[in-house]
Amino acid sequence: MFFASDNAGPVHPKIIEALAQANQGYALGYGNDPQMAQVRQQIRDLFEAPDAAVYLVATGTAANSLALATLCQPWQTVFCSPVAHIHEDECNAPEFYSGGAKLTLVGDQDKMTPDTLRQTILNEEVRGVHGPQRGPVSITQVTERGQVYTLDELHALTSVAQEFGLPVFMDGARFANALDALGCSPADMTWKAGVDAVSFGGTKNGCMGVEAVILFDPAKAWEFELRRKRGAHLFSKHRYLSAQMLGYLADGLWLQTARAANATCTRLAEGLRELPGVALLYPPQANMIFADMPRALHQRLHDAGAVYYITRGTLAGDDPDELLTARFVCDWSLGADQVDAFLAAARD
Amino acid sequence: MFFASDNAGPVHPKIIEALAQANQGYALGYGNDPQMAQVRQQIRDLFEAPDAAVYLVATGTAANSLALATLCQPWQTVFCSPVAHIHEDECNAPEFYSGGAKLTLVGDQDKMTPDTLRQTILNEEVRGVHGPQRGPVSITQVTERGQVYTLDELHALTSVAQEFGLPVFMDGARFANALDALGCSPADMTWKAGVDAVSFGGTKNGCMGVEAVILFDPAKAWEFELRRKRGAHLFSKHRYLSAQMLGYLADGLWLQTARAANATCTRLAEGLRELPGVALLYPPQANMIFADMPRALHQRLHDAGAVYYITRGTLAGDDPDELLTARFVCDWSLGADQVDAFLAAARD
Amino acid sequence: MFFASDNAGPVHPKIIEALAQANQGYALGYGNDPQMAQVRQQIRDLFEAPDAAVYLVATGTAANSLALATLCQPWQTVFCSPVAHIHEDECNAPEFYSGGAKLTLVGDQDKMTPDTLRQTILNEEVRGVHGPQRGPVSITQVTERGQVYTLDELHALTSVAQEFGLPVFMDGARFANALDALGCSPADMTWKAGVDAVSFGGTKNGCMGVEAVILFDPAKAWEFELRRKRGAHLFSKHRYLSAQMLGYLADGLWLQTARAANATCTRLAEGLRELPGVALLYPPQANMIFADMPRALHQRLHDAGAVYYITRGTLAGDDPDELLTARFVCDWSLGADQVDAFLAAARD
Amino acid sequence: MFFASDNAGPVHPKIIEALAQANQGYALGYGNDPQMAQVRQQIRDLFEAPDAAVYLVATGTAANSLALATLCQPWQTVFCSPVAHIHEDECNAPEFYSGGAKLTLVGDQDKMTPDTLRQTILNEEVRGVHGPQRGPVSITQVTERGQVYTLDELHALTSVAQEFGLPVFMDGARFANALDALGCSPADMTWKAGVDAVSFGGTKNGCMGVEAVILFDPAKAWEFELRRKRGAHLFSKHRYLSAQMLGYLADGLWLQTARAANATCTRLAEGLRELPGVALLYPPQANMIFADMPRALHQRLHDAGAVYYITRGTLAGDDPDELLTARFVCDWSLGADQVDAFLAAARD
């Protein structure tokens, strides 16, 4: 009953297998391994983007920070949601990698809207050289609150960015979960929707630690390579990043694991909905949900061994009816039995 | 016959096994995995340093850059050899992580001497606020030319640093190879020799991608953690870094692989020495050697399938007798048969 | 009728005189001029701070950025008002000088309150190593909307900062105007009110270009000096900064010019208040006011030659009654006659 | 008898006069003053560069750092002399402004030669993504040892840079002194000689604190403006920078003061040459010379009140005959009588 995060589960056996399979003989380091050539081709095919530049790094923060730094000048500002991972959970990594750019928060929700985005962009850079200059728009898909932008919503946001000539980055740490939710193609959700660069996350979806960064316009490919090296994110034994990604891509494993996680989460959401006193905060759309639940219920679940984060309030407290907000994230590996056990504990 | 680098060989099966073993159930991320607690304790024991702060990252450049940045202010300069990896091969990563510190080159050899170090330190910071301020001394052990500082040499260098109140960092990408060469204890080669922080490399010695950074004075431990996170080097699925390190430490695997690589390299050096027209440039002491060899010999070896870097000169050229310099690095996995095959090809 | 800014007026004749007087013979550069010794002593006396470190720079942005960078680590965030000059008008200079720190906005007004400040601080750093760490609180006095924090308000804000162990910086670009408004001593408004470092602005109040930075705790004095030099803000012919400051301090010139500017602004505010259709947005407290005025009135004033910024709306437009917001700033040199002429034009 | 530096003398009366003259009424700040339009035009005319972007800053370090940062990426290295001011005397300001670029030292003299430059460039960037990438070449004219590159020498150096597609920056802190020495036009010594950007120094030559940065290719003009603002070097009361520069340019004052300083220095050099035991280290070409002189002579001069730096050795010591190296710099304001008094004291 581990719902704390999708980075806490095991690596998918097929990824482990792919690592073992790559572990033969000698291979040039630093991205010159033959496996990387395959990765590059497969990702270009998958995204219908024959010219895209494709790179691998080991952490989501590296993917986000390196991609944003490539799109952003130090005197610019990145437009993002106030709950964006890049703003709240990366200890200023985007500021570090960009050389001191700013992040400007759009609206007060996890999902930006075209109106809040346009208004925020308009508010910046009305002071010539004095204010921060307008920089890239960063969209998290799935959002940090578990919601998925529809293709229409994406188009509307990127249209606003294009009005102002701003590039668009998609933080796809949970790319596969979003894609499964939308049922569209990777191209539909990215460059066809106006996205210039995307991170294609593997770590939260069954890999050990690998994320692809895809630049649909390869003009800055070499700059990205230099930034990756300078950031100490170019792996010498790179083939083991490649191998993970190959295992992830093979036979659509990446979509299967995401589908499993989403389905588990749906099962959990449906179960929670039926519980008295429980209110879901956002429409469940992928593998993460938030719910208000009475303290007594939280206590019972924790006593039963359930693990998850309480994001508002604290178990310590007297009032058993006080509502505390919980975040539940379903890892690819969580079985329906875990959900059922959890719901059973909740109902006791 | 692959002598190009010790980052090109396979991962040791026991490391792969350790990864598979760690791949069970759920574990908290970001270094809070139970395996990391074991790693910390084992490294403290190994280094006889019960208070040391111990962290894992995935690349050697990350280990070097984060450790140096923790020891160095942006207005200071790092004293290092002119062929130091941090100077020549990290695309300005130390400058990036330190926020713009300088590197000041000591002498014109791979090994610094107390005299060249003292003189170089004296030459800096004679201009008050105007010049770069004196910062840490960085020592690579094994050096980038395959040489090993003796304990006496280390003591002499760190004594100079201490005269000026400067901290000492040891780039231990090939720590195990040096330790095997010296036959001393990890404590002897580090804090007992005046070293304040060290990277304990795993990647070049049989791991997939893991380096420990050890701060003997834990005063800056939290700062290091923040720098690691901000640098995007904190792994969410951290247990797979821990697992590699556990496998590496278990039953002294790390010393066995280094010993094997050093022995292979000695065999290679001895064979090369007997070849006419071949001159070794440095006394072979660990798992890397440099040799001047006639172009015709290089050509024959390349035709036979040997892989290694020519670091001075180029195969293209007419004169068969012109001496080109080669670098040979022996991976832990290289067998004596590979060396013998190479030497046989050379003798043909 | 120039109300656009207090950086657009002439330098006070006594400052010019002080420059001419300093222009004799030779003096050591880089802050070693004898005038600087006088400046240091006079400012320590004025602030009743015998140990304070005192430095001069030429721009307000340099004063703010260098002081904040000295108080802030790159992984921290600065708490400030959403209209703070450091956030809106310095093109990411604080981010640059701090090495990539973040700015976290407090509340939605120019004046922070203890409640909004405490809540904002509480919201940060609940995520351990992941979120930005709490850093200094920056208070602008006079605020960017022309308001002055009372001593009680200052004490209340700095108490919140102290609860969390955070240092407090005061952006005193209009320090003298605030002091005149409060009628207290410089010590009262700074270290006695819990302020750790302050910029004491001269440029907007009759000088050519000089700001003092005062660190009440001199522990980081040398670091500040190195940051100033590294930022290229250490003047070689430093005596001309010192001379400006000496002229500014002599016979309380700095308070006289601020008093004059404040009085002019009061006269303007009183006149505007009597005009039909005009509404002042904030209580006028120093030398800057904001007013909503109908477009037709703006047009008449502009036709009459008045110069000021319209900060919301634009002259272009059809509706003569639409309210546009204006900002009026009174320079020390503006005479009552200018105000009267302006009001006369407004009344026509 | 003040020979310590050309930043220690008074400001030329005509510059003071120009400041007083500019001190009338109101002017828009931040470079929008009408004086700046005149400066821009006059400098374009002077350099025969009608499209050049022209900016003013207050310190030489700011001019160098901002210009280099505009020409250099953070992963590149700047090629410069080992005694370059940017390397030795700016406390890592170029590293700070460039976001962590490196400086690679060319040869072991103050003057780079085409051969040392080409060899140094060839040595860099032979390691693909791993090494620092080749960046701009920085030439100091007058060099830090008082020597002047001839036009032929400049052409030869910039040709090497062009071979590799590298931009060339000229640190012209003593531009006027060099121009007087060469007797050529500003265009001859800059863009016609292959220089892409130059700082045109005023501070060391009679101004209070002003340097022009001239970008012959205006493509990066806006970037420079943003960097200047972000670096806190955009003056609000900018007209006083403009006024200094206007006074400096008027009637060729800048060449007159440089000529005076050079002539004084020649007189000094000729006098020193005739003294027994004195050896000039470099051919005197502008307003700075270095000489080896016996300790006893130094002592006598210091006792007589002469002020200058001893750059090698120290007055403290027993041997009256030991040679200590002195640096003598002649300010524009130093009269022949000062030199004669100095030489008389030396001869006593």
Side-chain angles (χ1 to χ4, degrees), chain C residues 201-216:
Chain C
T203 313
K204 289 180 184 298
N205 191 28
C207 293
M208 187 176 281
V210 69
E211 313 274 311
V213 174
I214 306 165
L215 310 174
F216 295 109

Side-chain angles (χ1 to χ4, degrees), chain B residues 77 81 167:
Chain B
T77 191
S81 145

Side-chain angles (χ1 to χ4, degrees), chain C residues 271-284:
Chain C
L272 282 173
R273 263 207 196 95
E274 293 171 10
L275 292 177
V278 173
L280 297 189
L281 298 190
Y282 306 93

Side-chain angles (χ1 to χ4, degrees), chain A residues 49-239:
Chain A
D51 298 324
V54 180
Y55 300 107
L56 301 181
V57 293
T59 72
T61 298
N64 290 343
S65 298
L66 288 168
L68 280 171
T70 304
L71 299 176
C72 188
Q73 296 293 334
W75 40 84
Q76 293 180 340
T77 191
V78 176
F79 296 96
C80 67
S81 146
V83 298
H85 195 271
I86 58 170
H87 175 61
E88 291 209 311
D89 283 298
E90 300 189 344
C91 196
N92 298 356
E95 288 89 345
F96 175 46
Y97 275 89
S98 65
K102 193 185 278 291
L103 275 63
T104 295
L105 309 181
V106 176
D108 57 4
Q109 303 293 322
D110 61 324
K111 279 176 111 168
M112 300 183 285
T113 68
D115 283 353
T116 57
L117 179 58
R118 182 180 289 104
Q119 197 49 55
T120 308
I121 294 175
L122 284 170
N123 282 346
E124 281 299 354
E125 201 177 302
V126 291
R127 285 177 298 277
V129 80
H130 300 286
Q133 307 295 300
R134 294 162 179 159
V137 176
S138 180
I139 301 172
T140 316
Q141 175 82 319
V142 178
T143 76
E144 289 80 4
R145 294 295 176 265
Q147 299 194 89
V148 177
Y149 288 99
T150 66
L151 290 188
D152 281 351
E153 287 172 332
L154 288 176
H155 276 277
L157 286 177
T158 63
S159 294
V160 173
Q162 279 161 17
E163 271 178 49
F164 296 94
L166 307 179
V168 177
F169 170 67
M170 176 177 282
D171 174 352
R174 295 188 177 92
F175 186 93
N177 303 86
L179 204 77
D180 172 61
L182 294 183
C184 66
S185 77
D188 285 340
M189 200 169 85
T190 55
W191 63 269
K192 289 186 177 173
V195 170
D196 297 288
V198 64
S199 65
F200 175 67
T203 313
K204 289 180 184 297
N205 192 27
C207 293
M208 186 176 283
V210 69
E211 313 274 313
V213 174
I214 306 164
L215 309 174
F216 294 110
D217 176 354
K220 291 197 163 184
W222 180 236
E223 174 178 332
F224 185 91
E225 289 200 50
L226 291 164
R227 288 186 179 277
R228 178 176 59 167
K229 172 70 191 177
R230 189 177 71 121
H233 288 288
L234 176 58
F235 270 47
S236 59
K237 292 186 172 171
H238 185 279
R239 61 169 139 170

Side-chain angles (χ1 to χ4, degrees), chain C residues 41-52:
Chain C
Q41 194 52 54
Q42 290 186 24
I43 286 186
R44 284 173 171 174
D45 291 348
L46 181 64
F47 281 82
E48 306 166 44
D51 298 325

